């Protein structure tokens, strides 16, 4: 977050364009159409040059659209649109502006996060018709994706590959194919998916998953600082209780030093898993510790 002095710094269209990667003429257009775009008011002028507070402009560019919301919460853009167009039922927040040629709607990320953290029942209402049926019925990945309103089964595959412990393990795994070309068919009970959807994380905690999360490994802080560590090892070093809570915190932007990975490590069936160096993980651990001490320190 910018410092107070940086937030108060005055910037013109050229500075805004350079910092946020847009054409200065587009900045002027955002301002001219501010009744629709929500772009902040200019607070001063230097000759014919308008000036804005840097903090207000940064806040506006931090607004999120449908695609960003979908990526953050692991749903399709169609689902986000559904949440918005059915506001009377979902309570989804109002957009605060628009951006781009397509006039994409923009929301404050903290308002979306607050809504999502308490929307379990709303989500169940949304997918209730699809989820109705025999609770013991077995669904393959494509059918699960349809129940959860995802575009295809790729989202399920990504959960299993990149976020171990986040999505429930299959209730049934069938070994199929031949010895030369074996493959596995994974199936979930409808009740398993319904329970997960009812309690999927919005604020980093999920109640009653279909299976217990695996225990985290013991990881030493004294190893090679450049050694690559996988998700479960990173979660352990950072003091998380599970990979689920680590992954949720990472995807919500609470671990900024780990936003970019340092490489990958082989996982199950040759798939690649995210990995970071021990050095960067420990740097993030120290940053979290400082933040916690600052928050918990009594006022003087």
């Amino acid at each position: 977050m910018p410092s107070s002095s940086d937030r108060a710094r005055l910037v013109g269209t050229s500075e805004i364009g350079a910092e946020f990667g847009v054409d200065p003429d587009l900045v002027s257009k955002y301002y001219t159409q501010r009744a629709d775009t929500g772009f902040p008011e200019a607070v001063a002028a230097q000759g014919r040059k308008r000036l804005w507070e840097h903090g207000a402009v940064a806040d506006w560019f931090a607004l999120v659209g449908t695609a960003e919301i979908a990526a953050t919460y692991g749903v399709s853009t169609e689902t986000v649109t559904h949440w918005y167009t059915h506001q009377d039922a979902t309570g989804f927040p109002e957009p605060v502006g628009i951006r781009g040629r397509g006039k994409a709607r923009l929301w404050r990320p903290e308002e979306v996060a607050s809504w999502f953290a308490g929307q379990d029942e709303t989500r169940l209402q949304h997918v209730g018709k699809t989820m109705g049926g025999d609770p013991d019925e077995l669904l393959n990945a494509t059918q699960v994706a349809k129940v959860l309103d995802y575009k295809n089964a790729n989202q399920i595959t990504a959960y299993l590959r990149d976020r171990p412990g986040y999505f429930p393990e299959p209730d049934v795994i069938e070994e199929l194919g031949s010895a030369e070309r074996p493959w596995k068919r994974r199936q979930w009970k409808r009740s398993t998916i319904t329970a997960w959807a009812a309690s999927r994380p919005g604020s980093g905690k999920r109640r009653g998953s279909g299976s217990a999360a695996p225990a985290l490994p013991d990881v030493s802080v004294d190893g090679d600082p450049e050694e690559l560590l996988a998700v479960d090892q990173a979660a352990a070093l950072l003091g998380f209780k599970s990979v689920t809570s680590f992954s949720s915190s990472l995807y919500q932007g609470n671990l900024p030093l780990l936003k970019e990975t340092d490489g990958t490590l082989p996982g199950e069936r040759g798939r690649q898993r995210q990995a970071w160096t021990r050095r960067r993980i420990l740097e993030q651990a120290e940053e979290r510790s400082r933040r916690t001490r600052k928050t918990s320190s009594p006022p003087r």
Side-chain angles (χ1 to χ4, degrees):
M1 180 179 292
S3 65
S4 297
S5 60
D6 192 47
R7 288 186 63 84
R9 174 167 56 92
L10 297 183
V11 291
T13 55
S14 296
E15 294 93 333
I16 295 170
E19 179 170 349
F20 296 101
V22 297
D23 191 302
D25 290 339
L26 187 57
V27 176
S28 296
K29 185 175 181 179
Y30 288 151
Y31 173 73
T32 302
Q33 300 177 0
R34 60 190 179 282
D36 294 321
T37 65
F39 198 76
E41 288 285 347
V43 296
Q46 193 176 67
R48 299 178 62 182
K49 179 181 178 181
R50 297 186 184 94
L51 298 173
W52 291 263
E53 286 189 350
H54 177 263
V57 174
D59 289 344
W60 187 81
F61 275 98
L63 299 176
V64 293
T66 301
E68 293 97 330
I69 295 171
T72 299
Y73 297 102
V75 298
S76 67
T77 54
E78 289 81 1
T79 295
V80 179
T81 300
H82 174 96
W83 290 339
Y84 169 67
T85 55
H86 294 81
Q87 282 177 304
D88 290 345
T90 66
F92 197 70
E94 276 288 334
V96 295
I98 60 174
R99 185 186 300 151
R101 294 180 179 178
K103 296 186 176 180
R105 299 182 185 92
L106 300 171
W107 286 266
R108 293 188 180 91
E110 64 273 15
E111 291 184 359
V112 176
S114 177
W115 173 84
F116 195 85
Q119 66 83 47
D120 294 344
E121 293 184 4
T122 299
R123 181 175 176 81
L124 269 187
Q125 290 170 5
H126 168 53
V127 296
K129 291 183 179 180
T130 309
M131 287 189 173
D134 182 358
D136 292 325
E137 178 186 1
L138 291 174
L139 308 174
N140 61 29
T142 299
Q143 293 168 317
V144 169
K146 184 176 180 180
V147 165
L148 294 174
D149 198 30
Y150 298 152
K151 287 184 178 180
N152 51 51
N154 291 342
Q155 184 65 68
I156 308 301
T157 302
Y159 281 158
L160 294 174
R161 180 187 66 233
D162 300 332
R163 304 180 69 177
Y166 175 81
F167 196 75
E169 290 295 319
D171 294 296
V172 174
I173 299 178
E174 294 181 275
E175 303 283 350
L176 301 173
S178 62
E180 293 76 19
R181 303 188 67 177
W183 63 282
K184 296 179 181 180
R185 178 163 61 193
R186 294 169 173 77
Q187 295 178 297
W188 293 259
K189 290 182 180 180
R190 186 180 293 272
S191 59
T192 299
I193 301 305
T194 302
W196 181 82
S199 58
R200 58 166 297 167
S203 56
K205 187 174 182 180
R206 177 160 58 92
R207 304 179 303 273
S209 64
S211 59
L216 296 178
D218 291 326
V219 184
S220 172
V221 299
D222 299 322
D224 180 358
E226 299 305 317
E227 179 187 1
L228 288 176
L229 302 179
V231 173
D232 55 345
Q233 296 168 304
L237 269 184
L238 287 165
F240 285 95
K241 294 183 178 179
S242 68
V243 168
T244 300
S245 55
F246 166 81
S247 297
S248 180
S249 188
L250 177 65
Y251 276 69
Q252 292 181 60
N254 297 328
L255 304 173
L257 301 184
L258 302 184
K259 182 178 180 181
E260 301 294 334
T261 60
D262 293 311
T264 59
L265 290 171
E268 184 184 3
R269 299 178 301 281
R271 291 171 175 165
Q272 297 300 302
R273 300 203 303 165
Q274 295 172 300
W276 301 264
T277 61
R278 180 182 273 102
R279 173 181 55 79
R280 287 188 60 212
I281 295 170
L282 292 176
E283 288 174 355
Q284 180 63 81
E286 176 60 25
E287 192 274 339
R288 287 186 79 221
S289 178
R290 287 197 302 269
R291 191 191 319 156
T292 301
R293 290 197 298 267
K294 183 177 179 180
T295 302
S296 59
S297 297
R300 295 183 179 180

